[in-house]
């Protein structure tokens, strides 16, 4: 095997790529990770914006595969901030001697399946070529950042940053006039983190999101010891919930619980750390529109209590979707930021942005001058990172063409016509809609086990069966008929106003829950992978 020929090339050195590399090296395969950044970490390498931290409990975000690692690593906070997570991932990479198998500053431009050799020919943007039997994508769901389609973004003479590309060097925001465009999970974290330090903060909001308090806190030494001794139970709990978090839903329905008891329960959720407020709720809150409306009213009143100016409060309360039907941003003093005299909320549905100019943002009503503009405008989510690589399967078929109207996959791990390509956290899998690391560990284990079997059997070509793929499409779509999530426009449902053509529902994710997804994958394995053709 020449130096640039491998059994597997993994693209991406984030949470997913790191674990896949670990697994495949342990199988004795020749593997390389190609990574665009100058170090490992993926999401946690890039997103260095102020306030970036987990919404997952730290101790459910770490890998579970090594008891030694679990014993060695201490988390400092219940919801760790980005620098700590990046340190953790680097620690894992070094502990398991993975760094030498990673090539950084290497962005993949194209990947083409060569039918004669049953290998992928992978080319970087500098023209470097690699060959491998398996082409494993660990390229992130939220790694293709999108700027708003607003005229003049390059005319601005102050500093401007998309949150994803936040610089490594500290950005001094003190005494600056700062604009934040976007109020998703990222914008909400940024706003909460910087509101008190800047001279003036203007938030440009298109649609408000339902946010709830994170309630972060430090983890004491004693607590960490307790967490370490309970890891088995913690991970077992995560495995048992649809969301992969430690929060399980209440089996009662909203209607059957008396109001006083219901409100006490909701207050408890609102005052507790993490995503319980979203996924630890009554069973029908995300399914029954009436139950959802009642809970949304409850949360709306919380916002009214926290935001002093009633007009601002009303602007911050979503009217076009119910609580939890888009990804819920967890926040720290987000709503209180709007009580500061130097913080202003601009509702751009009333006062639209016309363009960005040299000095600031020109809206329909005024020109607002800024020193810094922060774009918290999100991502061409889930499929964007795939679209940015020219991927060609058999008979010259392009993945971007096949996915023109939305992703089409078998189990979210393979695509018919693209043999030997394994998507480790791809569209229509369970990772997106659940706590990411537990979900990817399951997906990586499944793919690695499958590849081990193929390797042992001397099979060098495996491809999803087209009929199995069609069945998976119908199955994925069926969940969209019952979930309230499907009725809202967000990256979960494939919308992005900044990407041409992403203005209609696309079936991006498997909504059946992590345990059911794992069952489907293991049944396939137990039955000899009938959904896949080998030769
Ligand atoms: P996002 O949820 O897609 O939010 C993007 C925001 O930008 C939205 O408020 C959107 O408004 C606004 N926007 C986009 N284009 C615009 C335009 N042209 N003009 C005005 N506003 C515009 O992206 P995100 O906040 O980066 O979050 C993405 C995901 O990353 C999250 O859902 C979450 O899964 C993950 N994340 C996780 C954490 C964590 O774990 N703590 C933190 C941050 C992010 P509309 O709503 O009107 O489209």
């Amino acid at each position: 095997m020449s130096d640039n020929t491998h059994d597997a090339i993994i693209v991406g050195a984030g949470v997913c790529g790191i674990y896949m590399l670990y697994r495949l090296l342990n199988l004795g395969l020749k593997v390389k990770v190609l990574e665009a950044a100058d170090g490992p970490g993926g999401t946690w390498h890039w997103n260095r914006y102020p306030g970036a931290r987990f919404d997952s409990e730290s101790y459910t975000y770490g890998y579970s595969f090594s008891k030694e690692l679990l014993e060695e690593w201490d988390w400092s906070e219940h919801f760790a901030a980005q620098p700590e997570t990046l340190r953790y991932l680097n620690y894992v990479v070094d502990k398991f001697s993975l760094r030498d198998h990673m090539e950084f500053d290497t962005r993949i431009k194209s990947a083409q399946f060569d039918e004669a050799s049953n290998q992928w020919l992978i080319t970087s943007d500098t023209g470097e070529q690699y060959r491998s039997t398996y082409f494993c994508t660990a390229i992130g769901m939220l790694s293709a950042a999108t700027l708003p389609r607003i005229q003049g973004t390059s005319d601005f003479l102050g500093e401007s940053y998309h949150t994803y590309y936040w610089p490594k060097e500290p950005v001094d925001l003190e005494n600056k006039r700062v604009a934040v465009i976007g109020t998703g999970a990222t914008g909400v974290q940024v706003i909460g983190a910087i509101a008190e330090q800047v001279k003036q903060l203007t938030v440009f909001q298109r649609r408000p999101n339902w946010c709830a308090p994170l309630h972060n806190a430090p983890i004491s030494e004693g607590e960490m010891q307790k967490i370490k001794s309970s890891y088995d139970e913690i991970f077992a709990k995560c495995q048992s919930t649809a969301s992969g978090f430690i929060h399980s839903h209440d089996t009662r329905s909203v209607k059957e619980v008396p109001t006083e008891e219901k409100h006490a329960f909701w207050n408890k959720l609102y005052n507790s750390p993490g995503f319980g407020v979203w996924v630890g709720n009554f069973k029908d809150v995300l399914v029954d529109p009436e139950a959802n409306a009642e809970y949304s009213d409850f949360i709306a009143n919380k916002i009214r209590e926290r935001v002093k100016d009633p007009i601002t409060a009303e602007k911050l309360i979503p009217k076009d979707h119910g609580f939890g039907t888009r990804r819920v941003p967890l926040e720290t003093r987000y709503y209180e930021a709007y009580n500061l005299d130097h913080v202003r909320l601009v509702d751009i549905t009333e006062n639209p942005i016309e363009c960005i100019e040299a000095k600031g943002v020109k809206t329909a009503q005024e020109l607002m001058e800024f020193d810094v503009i922060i774009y918290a405008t999100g991502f061409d989510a889930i499929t964007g990172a795939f679209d940015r690589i020219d991927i060609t399967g058999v008979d010259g078929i392009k993945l971007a063409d096949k996915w023109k109207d939305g992703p089409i996959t078998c189990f979210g791990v393979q695509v018919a016509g693209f043999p030997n390509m394994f998507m480790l956290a791809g569209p229509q899998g369970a990772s997106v809609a659940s706590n990411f690391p537990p979900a990817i560990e399951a997906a990586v284990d499944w793919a690695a086990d499958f590849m081990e079997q193929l390797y042992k059997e001397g099979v060098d070509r495996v491809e999803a069966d087209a009929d199995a793929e069609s069945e998976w499409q119908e199955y994925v779509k069926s969940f969209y008929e019952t979930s309230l999530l499907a009725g809202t426009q967000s990256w979960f449902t494939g919308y992005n106003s900044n990407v041409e053509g992403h203005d209609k529902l696309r079936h991006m994710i498997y909504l059946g829950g992590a345990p059911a997804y794992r069952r489907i994958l293991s049944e396939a394995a137990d039955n000899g992978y009938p959904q896949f053709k080998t030769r």
Side-chain angles (χ1 to χ4, degrees):
M1 224 182 248
S2 83
D3 251 14
N4 269 0
T5 302
H6 294 78
D7 294 312
I9 293 269
I10 301 165
V11 183
V15 176
C16 190
I18 290 170
Y19 183 48
M20 188 63 171
L21 176 62
Y22 169 83
R23 280 295 320 260
L24 294 188
L25 287 174
N26 281 350
L27 294 181
L29 303 189
K30 186 180 173 199
V31 196
K32 180 171 267 186
V33 167
L34 302 176
E35 166 59 56
D38 64 5
T43 279
W44 302 103
H45 172 92
W46 293 104
N47 285 285
R48 294 162 190 257
Y49 61 82
R53 64 172 66 249
F54 292 149
D55 282 350
S56 311
E57 284 74 9
S58 307
Y59 37 91
T60 70
Y61 198 95
Y63 295 110
S64 68
F65 69 84
S66 160
K67 287 234 184 292
E68 203 177 273
L69 174 63
L70 290 167
E71 195 48 50
E72 283 169 10
W73 187 261
D74 290 339
W75 293 102
S76 72
E77 292 180 278
H78 283 268
F79 302 89
Q82 174 272 336
E84 185 170 349
T85 310
L86 185 57
R87 266 199 314 278
Y88 169 75
L89 292 172
N90 273 283
Y91 180 83
V92 174
V93 165
D94 292 329
K95 176 176 173 60
F96 297 104
S97 308
L98 303 176
R99 203 173 291 268
D100 286 350
H101 304 275
M102 296 177 165
E103 200 169 301
F104 299 112
D105 298 307
T106 304
R107 186 172 287 283
I108 294 313
K109 191 179 77 179
S110 68
Q112 186 171 6
F113 186 69
D114 171 29
E115 294 220 53
S117 62
N118 284 331
Q119 285 180 329
W120 282 88
L121 179 62
I122 296 166
T123 308
S124 78
D125 60 2
T126 57
E128 191 74 22
Q129 294 205 318
Y130 311 80
R131 275 185 173 275
S132 68
T133 306
Y134 295 111
F135 167 43
C136 303
T137 62
I139 52 184
M141 318 266 192
L142 297 160
S143 56
T146 44
L147 279 169
R149 290 199 285 188
I150 302 173
Q151 231 189 332
T153 46
S154 55
D155 296 340
F156 182 59
L157 293 179
E159 298 164 60
S160 61
Y161 307 100
H162 189 290
T163 45
Y164 184 72
Y165 293 114
W166 200 266
K168 282 185 182 172
E169 309 71 46
V171 177
D172 183 12
L173 296 174
E174 215 150 303
N175 289 318
K176 300 267 172 72
R177 297 163 304 168
V178 180
V180 175
I181 304 181
T183 52
T186 302
V188 162
Q189 286 189 331
V190 173
I191 293 159
I194 68 170
E196 292 198 6
Q197 53 169 281
V198 300
K199 182 173 169 194
Q200 194 191 91
L201 176 63
T202 306
V203 176
F204 292 90
Q205 172 187 271
R206 188 164 61 189
R207 278 178 300 168
N209 280 299
W210 294 101
C211 311
L214 174 67
H215 297 299
N216 188 26
I219 297 179
S220 67
E221 228 174 275
E223 267 181 308
M224 197 61 228
Q225 283 318 315
K226 211 167 147 216
I227 289 166
K228 284 184 183 175
S229 61
S230 329
Y231 266 130
D232 284 348
E233 295 93 82
I234 290 171
F235 289 123
K237 182 77 191 280
C238 291
Q239 295 278 311
S240 73
T241 65
S243 62
F245 291 102
I246 50 172
H247 312 280
S248 44
H249 70 267
D250 190 298
T251 51
R252 295 169 297 168
S253 71
V254 169
K255 279 176 201 142
E256 79 188 51
V257 181
T259 305
E260 208 174 307
E261 191 181 335
K262 189 159 45 193
H263 283 202
F265 177 64
W266 282 344
N267 272 317
K268 186 164 164 252
L269 289 182
Y270 197 79
N271 293 319
S272 302
F275 270 137
V277 71
W278 186 19
V279 295
N281 219 311
F282 296 117
K283 66 174 183 189
D284 51 349
V285 161
L286 295 177
V287 187
D288 174 8
E290 279 181 32
N292 184 268
E294 198 179 327
Y295 186 55
S296 300
D297 284 346
F298 173 86
I299 300 285
N301 284 332
K302 293 286 179 202
I303 299 171
R304 291 185 186 107
E305 282 166 22
R306 291 175 62 187
V307 179
K308 284 188 193 143
D309 173 38
I311 297 173
T312 305
E314 286 316 306
K315 285 190 203 305
L316 289 166
I317 297 171
K319 307 288 188 306
D320 66 338
H321 68 282
F323 185 93
T325 61
R326 299 173 104 199
R327 203 280 201 181
V328 174
L330 294 184
E331 43 82 25
T332 305
R333 297 186 57 73
Y334 172 64
Y335 290 113
E336 285 71 19
Y338 296 98
N339 296 334
L340 300 170
D341 288 340
H342 63 276
V343 178
R344 176 181 173 195
L345 179 68
V346 176
D347 176 349
I348 65 167
T349 61
E350 285 173 2
N351 184 12
I353 298 175
E354 289 186 343
C355 61
I356 310 282
E357 295 189 351
K359 287 189 169 177
V361 177
K362 169 103 173 45
T363 68
Q365 292 168 14
E366 62 194 293
L367 169 66
M368 296 177 216
E369 296 190 4
F370 297 111
D371 303 307
V372 183
I373 299 178
I374 299 174
Y375 296 105
T377 44
F379 300 87
D380 183 356
I382 307 175
T383 50
F386 288 89
D387 288 343
R388 291 180 187 193
I389 303 172
D390 180 13
I391 300 174
T392 313
V394 294
D395 299 329
I397 177 179
K398 300 273 183 194
L399 188 69
D401 290 338
K402 179 160 178 172
W403 285 7
K404 187 167 46 65
D405 297 320
I408 300 171
T409 76
C410 181
F411 293 165
V413 293
Q414 272 222 354
V415 182
F418 295 81
N420 297 0
M421 180 173 101
F422 280 89
M423 300 179 297
L424 304 172
Q428 303 187 340
S431 319
V432 190
S434 64
N435 193 13
F436 194 66
I440 67 98
E441 274 188 317
V444 163
D445 283 338
W446 185 86
D449 290 349
F450 193 8
M451 283 160 68
E452 179 180 21
Q453 181 173 320
L454 296 165
Y455 195 67
K456 280 185 183 154
E457 289 171 359
V459 170
D460 59 7
R461 177 170 166 150
V462 60
E463 181 184 352
D465 174 75
D467 290 337
E469 185 177 76
S470 301
E471 266 177 48
W472 186 247
Q473 292 324 288
E474 291 317 306
Y475 191 54
V476 166
K477 283 180 189 171
S478 68
F479 291 99
Y480 282 71
E481 280 149 30
T482 50
S483 168
L484 295 179
L485 267 73
T488 55
Q489 295 187 7
S490 75
W491 66 266
F492 271 18
T493 43
Y495 288 83
N496 185 326
S497 68
N498 305 312
V499 183
E500 194 69 46
H502 286 200
D503 55 357
K504 52 186 174 305
L505 173 69
R506 295 181 305 139
H507 299 96
M508 306 295 275
I509 52 188
Y510 169 79
L511 288 168
Y517 182 72
R518 281 196 308 274
R519 264 195 310 276
I520 292 165
L521 289 187
S522 54
E523 260 169 39
D526 293 346
N527 293 326
Y529 307 96
Q531 298 81 0
F532 299 86
K533 301 180 295 187
T534 55
R535 69 171 137 111

